[in-house]
Amino acid sequence: MALSPVRRRVAVVGTGAIVSGGHLPALRAHADRTELVAAVDVDRDRLDAFRRQAGAGVAGYTSTGAMLDAVRPDLVVIGTPPSLHLEQTVAALKAGAWVWCEKPLCLSLAEYDEIAAAEEASGAYASVVFQHRYGSGAVHARELISSGALGTPLVAHCQTTWHRGTGYYSVPWRGRWSTEGGGPTMGHGIHQYDLLLHLLGPWEEVRAMAGRLVHATESEDVSTALVRFRGGALATVVNSVLSPHEMSRIRIDCADATVELTHLYGHRNDDWSYTPAPHVPAERAAAWRTPAADVPSSHTAQLGALLDAWDAGVRPPGSGQEARGTLEFAAALYKAAFTGQPVRAAEIVPGDPYYEAMHGGHPDWAPEGQRA
């Protein structure tokens, strides 16, 4: 007789659109493995509306600490504004819960290392939401690239060209270093370049530029980067909230094929294409087709991977050094853009101003009172 799957008791912190629209459907899809037992929000009306949507049996709290003391959940899902992530993640880890937190997990490498210390002390893990890695199309592409089936990766392009108007930045915490951690480099393009890093592996060097071209924000509204990867590939990365024709795109030119992904906020198998080089036989190219099973990139797909890791007793994907590498890339892009100098991997360490904050205290970019 097959054993029933372990059901993890889950609490959500924050009940806004990303939790109600992304995490709640994921929990429902994995209802045989999860049980939503509590929700936290400082807005009582929003909390009550979420509890009605979630169904009976979900206790409501306006304090994360009170919820942790009363409920002792196995997993805490965090969907609050970025400036709250560090405190809430560390509190959940100290309570013995695993954490699954919306991006960015925190606002700096210094904060990330504080979370890593809390992980080590508690034995629990904190994972960040990077759901674009988990669709079947992304899994298939990574297998082909890492196995060498497409030949050596040579040239890549990573594009997050979205549009956000002044109404978007009327929300007080947006566009500020202390509350959002940065502009589209941290809050928008991070999903696509996380996937690029997932597909191509470690990077070695970043050169970059950033600007405030439209919005009166502390942080940038566009950034661009040139990246050299350890395997030799060269890439461009564009992160924009100024682009009327919105698109998310990755293109990787390998020696034997071009891999392309074009979508907006999530991808399916049909969003991926493979163009063989002229010398590649048709039968070889036919083997690159995406698999018959079509698993969209989604919170549902990533939650399944997290639960699988938990059942196997191993660190979940999207945590540890893997997730730190994506945050390090963001810090390196900012440092390269603001200093005008190339930045190498592992260069940003304690004592470097860009370790403590993405703005690095730069006189043209840091908030008043935090400038070097």
Side-chain angles (χ1 to χ4, degrees):
M1 174 184 281
L3 295 176
S4 298
V6 176
R7 293 190 79 199
R8 313 291 177 178
R9 298 171 65 253
V10 182
V12 298
V13 179
T15 60
I18 195 65
V19 172
S20 61
H23 290 283
L24 184 57
L27 292 169
R28 285 173 169 164
H30 293 286
D32 60 331
R33 306 174 73 184
T34 64
E35 178 188 7
L36 181 58
V37 296
V40 180
D41 203 303
V42 295
D43 185 323
R44 174 61 74 174
D45 291 340
R46 187 168 57 201
L47 173 63
D48 290 343
F50 176 83
R51 292 173 66 201
R52 288 191 295 271
Q53 179 186 4
V58 179
Y61 297 86
T62 56
S63 161
T64 301
M67 181 277 292
L68 292 171
D69 289 341
V71 178
R72 310 302 293 185
D74 300 310
L75 173 65
V76 174
V77 173
I78 297 176
T80 53
S83 61
L84 303 175
H85 291 178
L86 172 64
E87 178 182 354
Q88 291 167 343
T89 296
V90 170
L93 290 169
K94 287 182 176 179
W98 282 33
V99 174
W100 190 31
C101 181
E102 278 297 325
K103 55 75 185 168
L105 178 59
C106 53
L107 304 186
S108 68
L109 290 171
E111 288 190 359
Y112 193 95
D113 290 344
E114 187 176 340
I115 290 172
E119 276 191 331
E120 186 173 356
S122 69
Y125 296 114
S127 183
V128 63
V129 175
F130 283 133
Q131 73 271 23
H132 289 192
R133 292 185 176 201
Y134 297 91
S136 52
V139 171
H140 182 63
R142 187 169 191 257
E143 289 173 350
L144 290 175
I145 293 169
S146 63
S147 70
L150 306 181
T152 303
L154 301 171
V155 183
H157 174 70
C158 178
Q159 171 185 347
T160 303
T161 42
W162 294 358
H163 191 274
R164 298 293 184 267
T166 55
Y168 178 84
Y169 288 103
S170 67
V171 177
W173 58 266
R174 288 180 176 152
R176 298 180 181 275
W177 295 107
S178 63
T179 49
E180 193 172 22
T185 307
M186 279 285 274
H188 303 84
I190 193 168
H191 278 300
Q192 292 315 300
Y193 63 71
D194 173 74
L195 179 55
L196 183 74
L197 297 175
H198 186 59
L199 295 174
L200 288 184
W203 58 274
E204 283 195 340
E205 182 182 341
V206 176
R207 299 168 185 257
M209 292 187 289
R212 299 185 197 95
L213 304 187
V214 172
H215 298 292
T217 54
E218 287 183 348
S219 52
E220 84 290 358
D221 54 16
V222 62
S223 68
T224 63
L226 302 176
V227 188
R228 187 188 305 277
F229 283 83
R230 185 180 299 171
L234 300 181
T236 62
V237 176
V238 178
N239 308 295
S240 166
V241 289
L242 308 179
S243 308
H245 181 194
E246 295 189 294
M247 182 181 296
S248 304
R249 187 166 182 262
I250 287 178
R251 171 177 170 145
I252 300 174
D253 295 322
C254 300
D256 296 337
T258 293
V259 186
E260 293 180 272
L261 166 65
T262 303
H263 67 117
L264 186 54
Y265 298 137
H267 55 78
R268 307 185 71 102
N269 285 355
D270 286 348
D271 297 317
W272 294 81
S273 67
Y274 295 84
T275 303
H279 64 268
V280 174
E283 60 273 17
R284 181 182 169 199
W288 301 337
R289 292 176 184 149
T290 51
D294 190 358
V295 179
S297 63
S298 64
H299 289 75
T300 299
Q302 184 172 355
L303 179 58
L306 184 152
L307 294 170
D308 288 345
W310 205 335
D311 291 344
V314 298
R315 173 180 283 281
S319 69
Q321 289 301 310
E322 177 185 288
R324 192 185 191 279
T326 301
L327 194 67
E328 182 192 4
F329 181 85
L333 193 158
Y334 279 123
K335 181 178 181 179
F338 296 165
T339 64
Q341 299 297 317
V343 176
R344 300 190 65 82
E347 172 183 317
I348 302 175
V349 297
D352 188 311
Y354 291 88
Y355 176 80
E356 298 294 337
M358 292 292 171
H359 55 69
H362 191 280
D364 295 332
W365 287 95
E368 292 287 348
Q370 298 184 48
R371 297 175 179 175

